[in-house]
Amino acid sequence: MASTIPASNPEADGPAIQARGVAKHYGALRAVDDVDLAVRRGEIFGLIGHNGAGKSTLFKMMLGLIAPTRGEILINGCSVRGRDFRATRRHIGYLPENVVLYDNLSGLETLHFFAKLKGAPRAQCAPTLERVGLAYAAQQPLREYSKGMRQRLGFAQALLGAPRVLFLDEPTNGLDPQAIRDFYATLRGLQSEGVTVVITSHILAELQERVDRLAIMSAGKIQALGSVQALREQVQMPLSLTLHLAPADAQQAQQALAALAGVKTLVIPEGLHISCPREAKMAVLAAVTALGARLLDLTIAEPSLEDVFFGFSD
């Protein structure tokens, strides 16, 4: 069912989420420490960090569940401390890391319960179950649900009310590979409808190709912010190339690359492994192209999101 942004949110062209100098202190502990962040409307945004980095605390402040020590958070232009946030919250969906559900209720009854809590139309429940692939289990009691089914049901309750902003905390826990693929396909569908998604996950390989931008948190601060590729370039991690060559040709290629600054090579059974600075990539490719037909294959590997994460957080 279509939804509109509340009239209390006048900044229709501004960020979906904006944090300005946000901090949360518990005595001497600075759980979140002067965070500035803007999440664009309609983007899938990742928030990653070690346990204790401040992600969950920032999430809870964005949801209005806890008050910041100082600073301001706006959701669709509305302050989470403002009197109008109650109306804005009806257009926010939240999937916590651990969803508490009632085993004696069926899947459909569970959504009916959450719909009543959120003031969402009861008619949304059955189509939402279908959207997350649980229509076949609508009448099945939750005690018979697997962990993955429970997780999908938790996602379904977050979708009730046609939210404009979704906060998802470890949303793929317990999902099998096909369900994970379906989940992210659903997120892309929501994005095409203009929904903004903020997602946390410890499974960095999942996020790598699926978020538009991400922030890396550590010690309550945002250490890095941007697309995965922008962060790769910012952290200046080397590229990895593998040349598939005959043993004699591998040694020749190694000699041809010896003069290039910062380039490291290692003869391996497949041929030659190369580690090089990003700015030396074209020089390396020019050197190996000279091998002609003796070069059987070539692969180039960018640093993974996990590599980038540890590059910033270590």
Side-chain angles (χ1 to χ4, degrees), residues 43-312:
E43 79 173 329
I44 297 179
F45 187 89
L47 186 63
I48 62 176
H50 294 293
N51 289 335
K55 306 185 305 298
S56 295
T57 302
L58 183 58
F59 246 42
K60 290 174 182 177
M61 287 191 288
M62 288 177 171
L63 288 161
L65 299 177
I66 58 175
T69 302
R70 65 170 178 268
E72 183 179 35
I73 298 174
L74 304 176
I75 306 294
N76 283 332
C78 181
S79 171
V80 298
R81 293 187 179 188
R83 295 176 61 183
D84 294 329
F85 187 64
R86 186 183 189 93
T88 299
R89 187 180 291 175
R90 292 184 180 275
H91 297 264
I92 296 174
Y94 175 46
L95 173 60
E97 182 174 1
N98 298 303
V99 186
V100 177
L101 302 170
Y102 297 98
D103 282 351
N104 290 330
L105 296 181
S106 70
L108 186 58
E109 288 170 338
T110 298
L111 286 199
H112 287 164
F113 170 76
F114 280 107
K116 188 171 183 179
L117 286 179
K118 298 176 74 171
R122 189 182 176 103
Q124 285 185 357
C125 296
T128 303
L129 276 179
E130 185 171 2
R131 188 167 198 174
V132 301
L134 284 177
Y136 72 95
Q139 303 302 330
Q140 190 173 331
L142 265 60
R143 62 178 175 271
E144 298 176 5
Y145 274 39
S146 67
K147 183 177 181 180
M149 292 169 70
R150 286 172 174 265
Q151 192 70 7
R152 282 186 282 163
L153 186 61
F155 182 40
Q157 67 77 26
L159 297 180
L160 289 173
R164 306 309 300 162
V165 179
L166 270 176
F167 291 94
L168 307 174
D169 193 355
E170 300 291 340
T172 61
N173 278 348
L175 299 186
D176 61 37
Q178 183 60 53
I180 291 172
R181 175 179 290 187
D182 293 342
F183 166 77
Y184 281 105
T186 300
L187 287 194
R188 286 298 176 192
L190 291 165
Q191 183 183 34
S192 71
E193 299 167 11
V195 177
T196 304
V197 180
V198 182
I199 182 171
T200 69
S201 178
H202 287 107
I203 309 174
L204 301 188
E206 275 185 23
L207 296 183
Q208 181 167 311
E209 303 298 331
R210 289 169 165 138
V211 296
D212 301 311
R213 291 189 305 145
L214 57 88
I216 297 175
M217 286 196 73
S218 179
K221 294 180 177 290
I222 292 181
Q223 305 295 333
L225 173 67
S227 67
V228 174
Q229 186 60 31
L231 295 183
R232 284 171 176 154
E233 295 172 3
Q234 187 177 340
V235 80
Q236 297 182 333
M237 302 189 77
L239 302 176
S240 297
L241 295 85
T242 300
L243 309 184
H244 293 260
L245 300 159
D249 294 330
Q251 294 175 359
Q252 181 180 343
Q254 190 174 37
Q255 293 171 0
L257 294 165
L260 297 179
V263 176
K264 300 177 182 179
T265 59
L266 176 67
V267 175
I268 58 176
E270 296 87 349
L272 189 67
H273 179 267
I274 304 168
S275 175
C276 75
R278 186 173 297 275
E279 60 271 18
K281 179 174 70 172
M282 298 312 295
V284 169
L285 291 175
V288 301
T289 299
L291 294 169
R294 289 174 293 173
L295 179 60
L296 305 176
D297 197 5
L298 166 67
T299 58
I300 302 176
E302 292 272 7
S304 68
L305 179 55
E306 184 173 301
D307 295 330
V308 171
F309 171 71
F310 284 114
F312 278 107

